[in-house]
Each structure stands twice: as C-alpha cells, then as structure tokens.
Amino acid sequence: MSTTPPVLAAELAQAWADIQRHHSELPDLAAPESLIGESSSACGAELSFERLLHEAVHGIAAARGVRDTSRAGRYHNRRFLAIAEELGLDHPEEPHPSSGFSLVTLSPEARKRYRSTIDRLQRALKAHTVATTAETSRTFRGPAARHGSSGGGVRVKAVCDCGRNVRVVPSVLAQAPIMCGGCGKPFRIPEAVAAVG
C-alpha cells in the first residue's frame, strides 16, 4: 500500500502524463512514491518538475534500449544528454567528474510549455512538505503507532549495495528482509543510523 498522499500521487501521475503528451514513447509511471524521499541520488535529491523531467529522460532511454548511465547509474553520459535536450533540459558545458551530465535544468522553452503543470506540482509538493513536517507532539497517529505495528513509528533510510534506498520503520525491517527489486539483495539500515535508533 502506498504511503504517498493521494493528492501528491495524483499530481505526480498527472505531471508524468503531461510529459507523455509531448513524448509519446515515455513509459507509464509505475509508482509515484518511488520519486519521493530519495535523499541521495545523482538524479537530484529534491523532488520537483525538473527532477521529474530528468527521470523521464531515463524512462525514454529505457524504452529505446539506450544505456544512458554508467558507474551504477551515477554517471550520466552523452546519450543521456541527447535525450535530455529533446525533453527541454539544458546542461553545463562540461560533465561533472562523478555524475556526468546529471545536473540538467529546465530550459526557458520547457518552463513555458509546462508552466501550469509546474505550478500544480509545486502546490502539491508544498502541501506534502507541510503535512510531513508538521509538529508531531500534537498529532494523533492512531492505534498502530501506540502498539508498535508497521503503521506507526519513525522511518529511517534503508540502503541496498546497488545504491537504491527506501524509508522503513526499523521494527518492520527486523521482522524479515526487504529485498531490492533491482539487484535482489536485502535493504539494510546503515550502522550509524541503527546505533542512534
């Protein structure tokens, strides 16, 4: 079951559909929640329309069978750059030493084309941020939080050796391994975080 608020998930899906209207070979977005909460990624840490368009470049590359990254997905090569330009992303002249051409930005033309989409998504993201950073001492979290089930508790980042990460309640991860769909290995909570929790 998704933990993404329905409004934000719907806005992400709508923004993706808006990109698909201009780029029909872009595959459908399987899980909007996969774009939320990634704190370390060569694709960008903060969710925004620019990041969504960046992810769409990877989607089109996958649909075309183009290998657009190397170094476990961190280095974005010139094939990534060519598709990024098609989607309206600008780039620096020289690649970054470790992430290549990942630092793309919206071109003025793309910003104009997607203005209403950008505005809608920004409103949804702002509401999501307010909802997830609200003062928790006065927030009722329901019986699941009181009884220690997976419905409550503080989520921490669990990582996989391939570089992917998820947010999870430590007690849930302790019940049984959560396996990475990318490489098949289990997610783990880094020792520094586990010691604090």
PDB file of all heavy atoms in Angstrom, residues 44-85:
ATOM      1  N   GLY A  44      19.300  13.905  -8.464  1.00  0.00           N
ATOM      2  CA  GLY A  44      18.808  15.060  -7.717  1.00  0.00           C
ATOM      3  C   GLY A  44      18.124  14.612  -6.450  1.00  0.00           C
ATOM      4  O   GLY A  44      17.432  13.607  -6.427  1.00  0.00           O
ATOM      5  N   ALA A  45      18.310  15.352  -5.379  1.00  0.00           N
ATOM      6  CA  ALA A  45      17.756  14.960  -4.092  1.00  0.00           C
ATOM      7  C   ALA A  45      16.347  15.485  -3.894  1.00  0.00           C
ATOM      8  O   ALA A  45      15.537  14.874  -3.226  1.00  0.00           O
ATOM      9  CB  ALA A  45      18.654  15.462  -2.970  1.00  0.00           C
ATOM     10  N   GLU A  46      16.024  16.619  -4.464  1.00  0.00           N
ATOM     11  CA  GLU A  46      14.738  17.250  -4.198  1.00  0.00           C
ATOM     12  C   GLU A  46      13.754  16.960  -5.327  1.00  0.00           C
ATOM     13  O   GLU A  46      14.079  17.093  -6.501  1.00  0.00           O
ATOM     14  CB  GLU A  46      14.943  18.759  -4.072  1.00  0.00           C
ATOM     15  CG  GLU A  46      13.680  19.490  -3.682  1.00  0.00           C
ATOM     16  CD  GLU A  46      13.947  20.969  -3.474  1.00  0.00           C
ATOM     17  OE1 GLU A  46      14.980  21.309  -2.883  1.00  0.00           O
ATOM     18  OE2 GLU A  46      13.114  21.760  -3.929  1.00  0.00           O
ATOM     19  N   LEU A  47      12.548  16.564  -4.952  1.00  0.00           N
ATOM     20  CA  LEU A  47      11.529  16.297  -5.944  1.00  0.00           C
ATOM     21  C   LEU A  47      10.984  17.615  -6.481  1.00  0.00           C
ATOM     22  O   LEU A  47      10.641  18.514  -5.727  1.00  0.00           O
ATOM     23  CB  LEU A  47      10.400  15.467  -5.333  1.00  0.00           C
ATOM     24  CG  LEU A  47       9.308  15.020  -6.290  1.00  0.00           C
ATOM     25  CD1 LEU A  47       9.890  14.262  -7.484  1.00  0.00           C
ATOM     26  CD2 LEU A  47       8.306  14.142  -5.571  1.00  0.00           C
ATOM     27  N   SER A  48      10.930  17.727  -7.795  1.00  0.00           N
ATOM     28  CA  SER A  48      10.425  18.920  -8.466  1.00  0.00           C
ATOM     29  C   SER A  48      10.043  18.498  -9.872  1.00  0.00           C
ATOM     30  O   SER A  48      10.313  17.365 -10.290  1.00  0.00           O
ATOM     31  CB  SER A  48      11.513  19.999  -8.533  1.00  0.00           C
ATOM     32  OG  SER A  48      12.586  19.539  -9.339  1.00  0.00           O
ATOM     33  N   PHE A  49       9.440  19.408 -10.634  1.00  0.00           N
ATOM     34  CA  PHE A  49       9.128  19.059 -12.017  1.00  0.00           C
ATOM     35  C   PHE A  49      10.414  18.836 -12.807  1.00  0.00           C
ATOM     36  O   PHE A  49      10.479  17.940 -13.649  1.00  0.00           O
ATOM     37  CB  PHE A  49       8.278  20.136 -12.693  1.00  0.00           C
ATOM     38  CG  PHE A  49       7.905  19.742 -14.093  1.00  0.00           C
ATOM     39  CD1 PHE A  49       6.913  18.807 -14.324  1.00  0.00           C
ATOM     40  CD2 PHE A  49       8.597  20.253 -15.181  1.00  0.00           C
ATOM     41  CE1 PHE A  49       6.594  18.393 -15.613  1.00  0.00           C
ATOM     42  CE2 PHE A  49       8.281  19.853 -16.466  1.00  0.00           C
ATOM     43  CZ  PHE A  49       7.279  18.921 -16.681  1.00  0.00           C
ATOM     44  N   GLU A  50      11.438  19.604 -12.513  1.00  0.00           N
ATOM     45  CA  GLU A  50      12.729  19.430 -13.185  1.00  0.00           C
ATOM     46  C   GLU A  50      13.267  18.021 -12.947  1.00  0.00           C
ATOM     47  O   GLU A  50      13.750  17.360 -13.855  1.00  0.00           O
ATOM     48  CB  GLU A  50      13.699  20.477 -12.644  1.00  0.00           C
ATOM     49  CG  GLU A  50      14.976  20.625 -13.417  1.00  0.00           C
ATOM     50  CD  GLU A  50      15.735  21.841 -12.924  1.00  0.00           C
ATOM     51  OE1 GLU A  50      16.390  21.748 -11.858  1.00  0.00           O
ATOM     52  OE2 GLU A  50      15.663  22.886 -13.602  1.00  0.00           O
ATOM     53  N   ARG A  51      13.147  17.551 -11.710  1.00  0.00           N
ATOM     54  CA  ARG A  51      13.585  16.184 -11.384  1.00  0.00           C
ATOM     55  C   ARG A  51      12.710  15.160 -12.102  1.00  0.00           C
ATOM     56  O   ARG A  51      13.192  14.141 -12.594  1.00  0.00           O
ATOM     57  CB  ARG A  51      13.532  15.982  -9.873  1.00  0.00           C
ATOM     58  CG  ARG A  51      13.566  14.542  -9.412  1.00  0.00           C
ATOM     59  CD  ARG A  51      14.963  14.045  -9.093  1.00  0.00           C
ATOM     60  NE  ARG A  51      14.953  12.625  -8.823  1.00  0.00           N
ATOM     61  CZ  ARG A  51      14.650  12.091  -7.650  1.00  0.00           C
ATOM     62  NH1 ARG A  51      14.358  12.853  -6.626  1.00  0.00           N
ATOM     63  NH2 ARG A  51      14.664  10.782  -7.487  1.00  0.00           N
ATOM     64  N   LEU A  52      11.412  15.429 -12.173  1.00  0.00           N
ATOM     65  CA  LEU A  52      10.502  14.521 -12.871  1.00  0.00           C
ATOM     66  C   LEU A  52      10.882  14.414 -14.346  1.00  0.00           C
ATOM     67  O   LEU A  52      10.901  13.316 -14.921  1.00  0.00           O
ATOM     68  CB  LEU A  52       9.063  15.021 -12.714  1.00  0.00           C
ATOM     69  CG  LEU A  52       7.954  14.035 -13.002  1.00  0.00           C
ATOM     70  CD1 LEU A  52       7.993  12.867 -12.018  1.00  0.00           C
ATOM     71  CD2 LEU A  52       6.596  14.729 -12.924  1.00  0.00           C
ATOM     72  N   LEU A  53      11.198  15.543 -14.970  1.00  0.00           N
ATOM     73  CA  LEU A  53      11.610  15.549 -16.370  1.00  0.00           C
ATOM     74  C   LEU A  53      12.938  14.799 -16.530  1.00  0.00           C
ATOM     75  O   LEU A  53      13.133  14.066 -17.499  1.00  0.00           O
ATOM     76  CB  LEU A  53      11.724  16.993 -16.868  1.00  0.00           C
ATOM     77  CG  LEU A  53      11.607  17.215 -18.374  1.00  0.00           C
ATOM     78  CD1 LEU A  53      10.315  16.644 -18.933  1.00  0.00           C
ATOM     79  CD2 LEU A  53      11.693  18.700 -18.689  1.00  0.00           C
ATOM     80  N   HIS A  54      13.827  14.951 -15.564  1.00  0.00           N
ATOM     81  CA  HIS A  54      15.093  14.208 -15.554  1.00  0.00           C
ATOM     82  C   HIS A  54      14.803  12.698 -15.545  1.00  0.00           C
ATOM     83  O   HIS A  54      15.394  11.938 -16.316  1.00  0.00           O
ATOM     84  CB  HIS A  54      15.894  14.622 -14.321  1.00  0.00           C
ATOM     85  CG  HIS A  54      17.201  13.899 -14.157  1.00  0.00           C
ATOM     86  ND1 HIS A  54      18.379  14.558 -13.979  1.00  0.00           N
ATOM     87  CD2 HIS A  54      17.509  12.583 -14.113  1.00  0.00           C
ATOM     88  CE1 HIS A  54      19.358  13.676 -13.839  1.00  0.00           C
ATOM     89  NE2 HIS A  54      18.841  12.463 -13.903  1.00  0.00           N
ATOM     90  N   GLU A  55      13.884  12.286 -14.670  1.00  0.00           N
ATOM     91  CA  GLU A  55      13.523  10.867 -14.600  1.00  0.00           C
ATOM     92  C   GLU A  55      12.870  10.400 -15.907  1.00  0.00           C
ATOM     93  O   GLU A  55      13.049   9.253 -16.320  1.00  0.00           O
ATOM     94  CB  GLU A  55      12.598  10.601 -13.415  1.00  0.00           C
ATOM     95  CG  GLU A  55      13.246  10.852 -12.060  1.00  0.00           C
ATOM     96  CD  GLU A  55      14.449   9.965 -11.771  1.00  0.00           C
ATOM     97  OE1 GLU A  55      14.575   8.873 -12.358  1.00  0.00           O
ATOM     98  OE2 GLU A  55      15.282  10.379 -10.944  1.00  0.00           O
ATOM     99  N   ALA A  56      12.125  11.289 -16.559  1.00  0.00           N
ATOM    100  CA  ALA A  56      11.516  10.957 -17.847  1.00  0.00           C
ATOM    101  C   ALA A  56      12.586  10.675 -18.902  1.00  0.00           C
ATOM    102  O   ALA A  56      12.397   9.816 -19.774  1.00  0.00           O
ATOM    103  CB  ALA A  56      10.583  12.075 -18.304  1.00  0.00           C
ATOM    104  N   VAL A  57      13.711  11.379 -18.822  1.00  0.00           N
ATOM    105  CA  VAL A  57      14.819  11.098 -19.738  1.00  0.00           C
ATOM    106  C   VAL A  57      15.254   9.643 -19.564  1.00  0.00           C
ATOM    107  O   VAL A  57      15.425   8.912 -20.544  1.00  0.00           O
ATOM    108  CB  VAL A  57      16.013  12.051 -19.491  1.00  0.00           C
ATOM    109  CG1 VAL A  57      17.231  11.632 -20.317  1.00  0.00           C
ATOM    110  CG2 VAL A  57      15.623  13.496 -19.796  1.00  0.00           C
ATOM    111  N   HIS A  58      15.400   9.207 -18.305  1.00  0.00           N
ATOM    112  CA  HIS A  58      15.771   7.813 -18.055  1.00  0.00           C
ATOM    113  C   HIS A  58      14.696   6.858 -18.579  1.00  0.00           C
ATOM    114  O   HIS A  58      15.017   5.794 -19.113  1.00  0.00           O
ATOM    115  CB  HIS A  58      15.987   7.575 -16.558  1.00  0.00           C
ATOM    116  CG  HIS A  58      17.187   8.256 -15.994  1.00  0.00           C
ATOM    117  ND1 HIS A  58      18.468   8.080 -16.476  1.00  0.00           N
ATOM    118  CD2 HIS A  58      17.303   9.141 -14.963  1.00  0.00           C
ATOM    119  CE1 HIS A  58      19.313   8.805 -15.773  1.00  0.00           C
ATOM    120  NE2 HIS A  58      18.637   9.470 -14.842  1.00  0.00           N
ATOM    121  N   GLY A  59      13.421   7.241 -18.435  1.00  0.00           N
ATOM    122  CA  GLY A  59      12.332   6.402 -18.938  1.00  0.00           C
ATOM    123  C   GLY A  59      12.389   6.233 -20.447  1.00  0.00           C
ATOM    124  O   GLY A  59      12.215   5.127 -20.971  1.00  0.00           O
ATOM    125  N   ILE A  60      12.635   7.312 -21.155  1.00  0.00           N
ATOM    126  CA  ILE A  60      12.730   7.232 -22.620  1.00  0.00           C
ATOM    127  C   ILE A  60      13.966   6.446 -23.031  1.00  0.00           C
ATOM    128  O   ILE A  60      13.925   5.632 -23.962  1.00  0.00           O
ATOM    129  CB  ILE A  60      12.703   8.646 -23.237  1.00  0.00           C
ATOM    130  CG1 ILE A  60      11.293   9.219 -23.097  1.00  0.00           C
ATOM    131  CG2 ILE A  60      13.147   8.611 -24.696  1.00  0.00           C
ATOM    132  CD1 ILE A  60      11.135  10.649 -23.581  1.00  0.00           C
ATOM    133  N   ALA A  61      15.072   6.658 -22.318  1.00  0.00           N
ATOM    134  CA  ALA A  61      16.286   5.885 -22.614  1.00  0.00           C
ATOM    135  C   ALA A  61      16.015   4.387 -22.458  1.00  0.00           C
ATOM    136  O   ALA A  61      16.406   3.581 -23.308  1.00  0.00           O
ATOM    137  CB  ALA A  61      17.428   6.323 -21.707  1.00  0.00           C
ATOM    138  N   ALA A  62      15.307   4.021 -21.394  1.00  0.00           N
ATOM    139  CA  ALA A  62      14.971   2.608 -21.171  1.00  0.00           C
ATOM    140  C   ALA A  62      14.072   2.084 -22.287  1.00  0.00           C
ATOM    141  O   ALA A  62      14.275   0.974 -22.788  1.00  0.00           O
ATOM    142  CB  ALA A  62      14.301   2.436 -19.815  1.00  0.00           C
ATOM    143  N   ALA A  63      13.094   2.892 -22.696  1.00  0.00           N
ATOM    144  CA  ALA A  63      12.179   2.469 -23.772  1.00  0.00           C
ATOM    145  C   ALA A  63      12.929   2.269 -25.089  1.00  0.00           C
ATOM    146  O   ALA A  63      12.586   1.394 -25.880  1.00  0.00           O
ATOM    147  CB  ALA A  63      11.066   3.505 -23.944  1.00  0.00           C
ATOM    148  N   ARG A  64      13.951   3.064 -25.311  1.00  0.00           N
ATOM    149  CA  ARG A  64      14.743   2.966 -26.541  1.00  0.00           C
ATOM    150  C   ARG A  64      15.860   1.932 -26.443  1.00  0.00           C
ATOM    151  O   ARG A  64      16.550   1.655 -27.420  1.00  0.00           O
ATOM    152  CB  ARG A  64      15.376   4.324 -26.867  1.00  0.00           C
ATOM    153  CG  ARG A  64      14.385   5.387 -27.244  1.00  0.00           C
ATOM    154  CD  ARG A  64      15.098   6.701 -27.510  1.00  0.00           C
ATOM    155  NE  ARG A  64      14.141   7.748 -27.844  1.00  0.00           N
ATOM    156  CZ  ARG A  64      14.486   9.026 -28.007  1.00  0.00           C
ATOM    157  NH1 ARG A  64      15.756   9.404 -27.881  1.00  0.00           N
ATOM    158  NH2 ARG A  64      13.568   9.923 -28.308  1.00  0.00           N
ATOM    159  N   GLY A  65      16.084   1.399 -25.242  1.00  0.00           N
ATOM    160  CA  GLY A  65      17.181   0.463 -25.050  1.00  0.00           C
ATOM    161  C   GLY A  65      18.540   1.145 -25.045  1.00  0.00           C
ATOM    162  O   GLY A  65      19.551   0.543 -25.385  1.00  0.00           O
ATOM    163  N   VAL A  66      18.559   2.416 -24.620  1.00  0.00           N
ATOM    164  CA  VAL A  66      19.788   3.211 -24.597  1.00  0.00           C
ATOM    165  C   VAL A  66      20.389   3.163 -23.198  1.00  0.00           C
ATOM    166  O   VAL A  66      19.691   3.428 -22.215  1.00  0.00           O
ATOM    167  CB  VAL A  66      19.486   4.682 -25.002  1.00  0.00           C
ATOM    168  CG1 VAL A  66      20.697   5.573 -24.763  1.00  0.00           C
ATOM    169  CG2 VAL A  66      19.017   4.757 -26.439  1.00  0.00           C
ATOM    170  N   ARG A  67      21.662   2.859 -23.106  1.00  0.00           N
ATOM    171  CA  ARG A  67      22.363   2.877 -21.815  1.00  0.00           C
ATOM    172  C   ARG A  67      22.822   4.315 -21.576  1.00  0.00           C
ATOM    173  O   ARG A  67      23.820   4.756 -22.125  1.00  0.00           O
ATOM    174  CB  ARG A  67      23.539   1.918 -21.840  1.00  0.00           C
ATOM    175  CG  ARG A  67      24.171   1.773 -20.488  1.00  0.00           C
ATOM    176  CD  ARG A  67      25.120   0.604 -20.450  1.00  0.00           C
ATOM    177  NE  ARG A  67      25.730   0.574 -19.127  1.00  0.00           N
ATOM    178  CZ  ARG A  67      27.014   0.365 -18.924  1.00  0.00           C
ATOM    179  NH1 ARG A  67      27.811   0.152 -19.932  1.00  0.00           N
ATOM    180  NH2 ARG A  67      27.486   0.381 -17.699  1.00  0.00           N
ATOM    181  N   ASP A  68      22.085   5.031 -20.722  1.00  0.00           N
ATOM    182  CA  ASP A  68      22.328   6.462 -20.530  1.00  0.00           C
ATOM    183  C   ASP A  68      23.164   6.786 -19.302  1.00  0.00           C
ATOM    184  O   ASP A  68      23.473   7.948 -19.059  1.00  0.00           O
ATOM    185  CB  ASP A  68      21.001   7.229 -20.497  1.00  0.00           C
ATOM    186  CG  ASP A  68      20.116   6.845 -19.321  1.00  0.00           C
ATOM    187  OD1 ASP A  68      20.299   5.746 -18.758  1.00  0.00           O
ATOM    188  OD2 ASP A  68      19.225   7.641 -18.974  1.00  0.00           O
ATOM    189  N   THR A  69      23.516   5.779 -18.513  1.00  0.00           N
ATOM    190  CA  THR A  69      24.355   5.992 -17.331  1.00  0.00           C
ATOM    191  C   THR A  69      25.369   4.862 -17.208  1.00  0.00           C
ATOM    192  O   THR A  69      25.214   3.793 -17.824  1.00  0.00           O
ATOM    193  CB  THR A  69      23.535   6.039 -16.023  1.00  0.00           C
ATOM    194  OG1 THR A  69      22.908   4.776 -15.825  1.00  0.00           O
ATOM    195  CG2 THR A  69      22.511   7.160 -16.041  1.00  0.00           C
ATOM    196  N   SER A  70      26.370   5.110 -16.378  1.00  0.00           N
ATOM    197  CA  SER A  70      27.336   4.080 -16.004  1.00  0.00           C
ATOM    198  C   SER A  70      27.682   4.299 -14.531  1.00  0.00           C
ATOM    199  O   SER A  70      27.081   5.168 -13.886  1.00  0.00           O
ATOM    200  CB  SER A  70      28.589   4.166 -16.889  1.00  0.00           C
ATOM    201  OG  SER A  70      29.198   5.434 -16.763  1.00  0.00           O
ATOM    202  N   ARG A  71      28.631   3.532 -14.019  1.00  0.00           N
ATOM    203  CA  ARG A  71      29.030   3.631 -12.610  1.00  0.00           C
ATOM    204  C   ARG A  71      27.829   3.461 -11.681  1.00  0.00           C
ATOM    205  O   ARG A  71      27.540   4.311 -10.842  1.00  0.00           O
ATOM    206  CB  ARG A  71      29.746   4.944 -12.315  1.00  0.00           C
ATOM    207  CG  ARG A  71      30.994   5.159 -13.132  1.00  0.00           C
ATOM    208  CD  ARG A  71      31.644   6.493 -12.786  1.00  0.00           C
ATOM    209  NE  ARG A  71      32.603   6.854 -13.821  1.00  0.00           N
ATOM    210  CZ  ARG A  71      33.105   8.059 -13.962  1.00  0.00           C
ATOM    211  NH1 ARG A  71      32.763   9.033 -13.141  1.00  0.00           N
ATOM    212  NH2 ARG A  71      33.955   8.318 -14.918  1.00  0.00           N
ATOM    213  N   ALA A  72      27.102   2.386 -11.880  1.00  0.00           N
ATOM    214  CA  ALA A  72      25.920   2.044 -11.072  1.00  0.00           C
ATOM    215  C   ALA A  72      24.856   3.131 -11.132  1.00  0.00           C
ATOM    216  O   ALA A  72      24.169   3.407 -10.164  1.00  0.00           O
ATOM    217  CB  ALA A  72      26.315   1.766  -9.626  1.00  0.00           C
ATOM    218  N   GLY A  73      24.709   3.759 -12.303  1.00  0.00           N
ATOM    219  CA  GLY A  73      23.663   4.760 -12.508  1.00  0.00           C
ATOM    220  C   GLY A  73      24.032   6.159 -12.073  1.00  0.00           C
ATOM    221  O   GLY A  73      23.228   7.071 -12.180  1.00  0.00           O
ATOM    222  N   ARG A  74      25.249   6.356 -11.579  1.00  0.00           N
ATOM    223  CA  ARG A  74      25.639   7.689 -11.108  1.00  0.00           C
ATOM    224  C   ARG A  74      26.112   8.605 -12.235  1.00  0.00           C
ATOM    225  O   ARG A  74      25.852   9.796 -12.212  1.00  0.00           O
ATOM    226  CB  ARG A  74      26.740   7.570 -10.042  1.00  0.00           C
ATOM    227  CG  ARG A  74      26.239   7.017  -8.727  1.00  0.00           C
ATOM    228  CD  ARG A  74      27.322   7.025  -7.657  1.00  0.00           C
ATOM    229  NE  ARG A  74      28.539   6.351  -8.071  1.00  0.00           N
ATOM    230  CZ  ARG A  74      28.770   5.052  -7.941  1.00  0.00           C
ATOM    231  NH1 ARG A  74      27.860   4.276  -7.397  1.00  0.00           N
ATOM    232  NH2 ARG A  74      29.910   4.529  -8.332  1.00  0.00           N
ATOM    233  N   TYR A  75      26.860   8.069 -13.208  1.00  0.00           N
ATOM    234  CA  TYR A  75      27.435   8.907 -14.262  1.00  0.00           C
ATOM    235  C   TYR A  75      26.478   8.973 -15.455  1.00  0.00           C
ATOM    236  O   TYR A  75      26.147   7.965 -16.067  1.00  0.00           O
ATOM    237  CB  TYR A  75      28.798   8.365 -14.706  1.00  0.00           C
ATOM    238  CG  TYR A  75      29.531   9.351 -15.584  1.00  0.00           C
ATOM    239  CD1 TYR A  75      30.341  10.325 -15.028  1.00  0.00           C
ATOM    240  CD2 TYR A  75      29.383   9.320 -16.968  1.00  0.00           C
ATOM    241  CE1 TYR A  75      30.995  11.244 -15.820  1.00  0.00           C
ATOM    242  CE2 TYR A  75      30.039  10.236 -17.761  1.00  0.00           C
ATOM    243  CZ  TYR A  75      30.844  11.198 -17.194  1.00  0.00           C
ATOM    244  OH  TYR A  75      31.485  12.114 -17.980  1.00  0.00           O
ATOM    245  N   HIS A  76      26.018  10.172 -15.763  1.00  0.00           N
ATOM    246  CA  HIS A  76      25.078  10.409 -16.865  1.00  0.00           C
ATOM    247  C   HIS A  76      25.878  10.801 -18.104  1.00  0.00           C
ATOM    248  O   HIS A  76      26.521  11.849 -18.119  1.00  0.00           O
ATOM    249  CB  HIS A  76      24.092  11.509 -16.485  1.00  0.00           C
ATOM    250  CG  HIS A  76      23.175  11.121 -15.367  1.00  0.00           C
ATOM    251  ND1 HIS A  76      23.625  10.753 -14.108  1.00  0.00           N
ATOM    252  CD2 HIS A  76      21.823  11.037 -15.321  1.00  0.00           C
ATOM    253  CE1 HIS A  76      22.593  10.455 -13.347  1.00  0.00           C
ATOM    254  NE2 HIS A  76      21.479  10.621 -14.048  1.00  0.00           N
ATOM    255  N   ASN A  77      25.811   9.964 -19.135  1.00  0.00           N
ATOM    256  CA  ASN A  77      26.671  10.137 -20.296  1.00  0.00           C
ATOM    257  C   ASN A  77      26.041  11.018 -21.383  1.00  0.00           C
ATOM    258  O   ASN A  77      24.971  11.594 -21.193  1.00  0.00           O
ATOM    259  CB  ASN A  77      27.069   8.762 -20.852  1.00  0.00           C
ATOM    260  CG  ASN A  77      25.855   7.942 -21.269  1.00  0.00           C
ATOM    261  OD1 ASN A  77      24.855   8.466 -21.735  1.00  0.00           O
ATOM    262  ND2 ASN A  77      25.952   6.637 -21.077  1.00  0.00           N
ATOM    263  N   ARG A  78      26.696  11.099 -22.520  1.00  0.00           N
ATOM    264  CA  ARG A  78      26.215  11.951 -23.616  1.00  0.00           C
ATOM    265  C   ARG A  78      24.925  11.419 -24.243  1.00  0.00           C
ATOM    266  O   ARG A  78      24.168  12.184 -24.831  1.00  0.00           O
ATOM    267  CB  ARG A  78      27.304  12.149 -24.657  1.00  0.00           C
ATOM    268  CG  ARG A  78      28.437  13.002 -24.107  1.00  0.00           C
ATOM    269  CD  ARG A  78      29.379  13.495 -25.190  1.00  0.00           C
ATOM    270  NE  ARG A  78      30.484  14.235 -24.597  1.00  0.00           N
ATOM    271  CZ  ARG A  78      30.432  15.514 -24.257  1.00  0.00           C
ATOM    272  NH1 ARG A  78      29.331  16.205 -24.476  1.00  0.00           N
ATOM    273  NH2 ARG A  78      31.479  16.108 -23.718  1.00  0.00           N
ATOM    274  N   ARG A  79      24.662  10.127 -24.126  1.00  0.00           N
ATOM    275  CA  ARG A  79      23.380   9.597 -24.621  1.00  0.00           C
ATOM    276  C   ARG A  79      22.244  10.124 -23.744  1.00  0.00           C
ATOM    277  O   ARG A  79      21.174  10.467 -24.242  1.00  0.00           O
ATOM    278  CB  ARG A  79      23.422   8.067 -24.658  1.00  0.00           C
ATOM    279  CG  ARG A  79      24.362   7.536 -25.746  1.00  0.00           C
ATOM    280  CD  ARG A  79      24.383   6.020 -25.799  1.00  0.00           C
ATOM    281  NE  ARG A  79      25.005   5.423 -24.630  1.00  0.00           N
ATOM    282  CZ  ARG A  79      26.308   5.181 -24.506  1.00  0.00           C
ATOM    283  NH1 ARG A  79      27.130   5.472 -25.474  1.00  0.00           N
ATOM    284  NH2 ARG A  79      26.783   4.627 -23.416  1.00  0.00           N
ATOM    285  N   PHE A  80      22.487  10.190 -22.428  1.00  0.00           N
ATOM    286  CA  PHE A  80      21.517  10.821 -21.529  1.00  0.00           C
ATOM    287  C   PHE A  80      21.313  12.274 -21.948  1.00  0.00           C
ATOM    288  O   PHE A  80      20.191  12.760 -22.049  1.00  0.00           O
ATOM    289  CB  PHE A  80      22.007  10.762 -20.068  1.00  0.00           C
ATOM    290  CG  PHE A  80      21.204  11.615 -19.133  1.00  0.00           C
ATOM    291  CD1 PHE A  80      20.045  11.124 -18.562  1.00  0.00           C
ATOM    292  CD2 PHE A  80      21.580  12.925 -18.853  1.00  0.00           C
ATOM    293  CE1 PHE A  80      19.275  11.917 -17.716  1.00  0.00           C
ATOM    294  CE2 PHE A  80      20.828  13.726 -18.008  1.00  0.00           C
ATOM    295  CZ  PHE A  80      19.663  13.212 -17.445  1.00  0.00           C
ATOM    296  N   LEU A  81      22.410  12.955 -22.207  1.00  0.00           N
ATOM    297  CA  LEU A  81      22.373  14.369 -22.557  1.00  0.00           C
ATOM    298  C   LEU A  81      21.559  14.615 -23.827  1.00  0.00           C
ATOM    299  O   LEU A  81      20.767  15.558 -23.891  1.00  0.00           O
ATOM    300  CB  LEU A  81      23.808  14.876 -22.735  1.00  0.00           C
ATOM    301  CG  LEU A  81      23.996  16.349 -23.001  1.00  0.00           C
ATOM    302  CD1 LEU A  81      23.396  17.176 -21.884  1.00  0.00           C
ATOM    303  CD2 LEU A  81      25.483  16.654 -23.145  1.00  0.00           C
ATOM    304  N   ALA A  82      21.719  13.759 -24.828  1.00  0.00           N
ATOM    305  CA  ALA A  82      20.981  13.930 -26.087  1.00  0.00           C
ATOM    306  C   ALA A  82      19.473  13.841 -25.854  1.00  0.00           C
ATOM    307  O   ALA A  82      18.698  14.648 -26.389  1.00  0.00           O
ATOM    308  CB  ALA A  82      21.432  12.882 -27.106  1.00  0.00           C
ATOM    309  N   ILE A  83      19.038  12.887 -25.041  1.00  0.00           N
ATOM    310  CA  ILE A  83      17.603  12.742 -24.753  1.00  0.00           C
ATOM    311  C   ILE A  83      17.135  13.895 -23.872  1.00  0.00           C
ATOM    312  O   ILE A  83      16.038  14.427 -24.057  1.00  0.00           O
ATOM    313  CB  ILE A  83      17.310  11.369 -24.104  1.00  0.00           C
ATOM    314  CG1 ILE A  83      17.708  10.243 -25.069  1.00  0.00           C
ATOM    315  CG2 ILE A  83      15.822  11.259 -23.748  1.00  0.00           C
ATOM    316  CD1 ILE A  83      17.681   8.855 -24.451  1.00  0.00           C
ATOM    317  N   ALA A  84      17.967  14.315 -22.923  1.00  0.00           N
ATOM    318  CA  ALA A  84      17.623  15.449 -22.061  1.00  0.00           C
ATOM    319  C   ALA A  84      17.349  16.690 -22.902  1.00  0.00           C
ATOM    320  O   ALA A  84      16.390  17.437 -22.636  1.00  0.00           O
ATOM    321  CB  ALA A  84      18.753  15.716 -21.061  1.00  0.00           C
ATOM    322  N   GLU A  85      18.164  16.921 -23.910  1.00  0.00           N
ATOM    323  CA  GLU A  85      17.953  18.071 -24.794  1.00  0.00           C
ATOM    324  C   GLU A  85      16.619  17.956 -25.524  1.00  0.00           C
ATOM    325  O   GLU A  85      15.902  18.949 -25.681  1.00  0.00           O
ATOM    326  CB  GLU A  85      19.112  18.203 -25.778  1.00  0.00           C
ATOM    327  CG  GLU A  85      20.395  18.661 -25.117  1.00  0.00           C
ATOM    328  CD  GLU A  85      21.603  18.623 -26.051  1.00  0.00           C
ATOM    329  OE1 GLU A  85      21.536  17.994 -27.131  1.00  0.00           O
ATOM    330  OE2 GLU A  85      22.633  19.224 -25.676  1.00  0.00           O
TER     331      GLU A  85
END
